[in-house]
Amino acid sequence: MAVLAAPVAAVRLAVRRALDQVGSAPIPDPPAATDPVPGTRRARVLVACSGGADSLALAAAAVFVGPRQGVDVGLVTVDHGLQAGSARRARAVADWAGRAGFAPVEVATVEVAGRPGGPEAAARDARYEALVSAAHRHRAGTVLLGHTRDDQAETVLLALARGAGPRGLAGMPAVRVLDGIALCRPLLDVTRAQTRAACAALDLTPWDDPHNTDPSYARARVRSDLLPALVEALGPGVVGNLARTAALVAADTAALDALAADHLAAAR
């Protein structure tokens, strides 16, 4: 019997735990005469996959774990149209997903130009709108996103640079509900090195987005320069500790919100 590579096991475990925690109940369908037995439709999640190592490893884990938990797994890849050949790359991701057993599979083409904010924020907003729209269209209650522990550490550093308060330092939430759809990040305790190793173990070839190393983007500078310098100066635990700080601040913020809500309800 083949031995399962440790990085593959780590990503699959993270996905299984996430599906257990957020639940994977589908968005209720409107009543229809074609529904043979109400409530018998299987749950569905969608994976947001750019073709990069993080989302590719996530997608491979989800299509393995989901059916074993009674969950149908689809995939959406977003074409932002910001680079030459982006449509071709999105189509390649979709073709792989079709062969790998995802259903449904969709390429969502978005328009980034003209949106408020910087280019990173505009692309992110367009992407989330497309993902939420796809989830509603395909009756999926959850979208899985491939952000890792390294992404969380970068987010905390960027928040510190902006002078952000607790909500900024809390980083990216493990689950965020947007327009009724749960945006879930299963890999916040998984490292970028693990996702790359998982892809290698599964013989998957990820795409390296040149924007991730473009120094005109603040996150790219944090990734290529600042975080490695901190690791060199303070040790390899920096990345995990920054991500842990986000988790602790998020828990404190949630507790304060709950106390405030209780006091407001009592006052009313």
Side-chain angles (χ1 to χ4, degrees):
M1 184 176 64
V3 177
L4 182 63
V8 176
V11 178
R12 287 179 180 176
L13 178 60
V15 169
R16 183 162 65 247
R17 286 174 172 169
L19 291 181
D20 286 341
Q21 289 174 0
V22 302
S24 48
I27 301 172
D29 280 329
T34 55
D35 292 340
V37 181
T40 59
R41 187 169 55 85
R42 283 163 60 98
R44 173 177 293 154
V45 301
L46 299 179
V47 181
C49 184
S50 67
D54 301 337
S55 62
L56 196 58
L58 171 66
V63 80
F64 178 88
V65 171
R68 289 163 173 78
Q69 293 186 237
V71 178
D72 292 330
V73 180
L75 181 142
V76 179
T77 184
V78 178
D79 175 15
H80 299 85
L82 298 176
Q83 301 168 1
S86 63
R88 183 176 64 254
R89 284 190 295 271
R91 188 68 257 166
V93 172
D95 289 345
W96 167 79
R99 296 191 301 271
F102 292 85
V105 175
E106 178 178 320
V107 174
T109 303
V110 300
E111 182 64 43
V112 176
R115 289 175 175 267
E120 291 173 283
R124 182 179 61 248
D125 290 346
R127 180 167 60 253
Y128 285 168
E129 285 179 14
L131 294 172
V132 167
S133 177
H136 280 289
R137 190 163 51 255
H138 296 298
R139 317 306 299 176
T142 299
V143 176
L144 304 182
L145 306 174
H147 299 107
T148 65
R149 180 186 296 173
D150 301 73
D151 294 304
Q152 188 72 298
E154 294 161 6
T155 299
V156 173
L157 288 174
L158 288 166
L160 285 168
R162 294 194 307 269
R167 295 194 187 281
L169 297 179
M172 296 177 287
V175 180
R176 172 194 175 199
V177 177
L178 182 61
D179 194 19
I181 304 298
L183 302 179
C184 178
R185 298 179 173 91
L187 305 186
L188 290 181
D189 286 328
V190 175
T191 67
R192 191 172 292 142
Q194 285 176 301
T195 62
R196 286 199 168 273
C199 287
L202 295 171
D203 200 24
L204 298 173
T205 303
W207 169 63
D208 290 320
D209 185 347
H211 282 173
N212 290 335
T213 56
D214 184 343
S216 64
Y217 294 100
R219 184 176 287 273
R221 296 194 299 273
V222 169
R223 181 172 299 180
S224 63
D225 300 329
L226 179 56
L227 197 52
L230 288 174
V231 169
E232 182 178 355
L234 302 175
V238 165
V239 173
N241 288 338
L242 285 168
R244 179 173 177 270
T245 295
L248 293 172
V249 175
D252 288 346
T253 301
L256 290 171
D257 285 346
L259 286 171
D262 289 343
H263 284 291
L264 180 61
R268 285 176 174 170

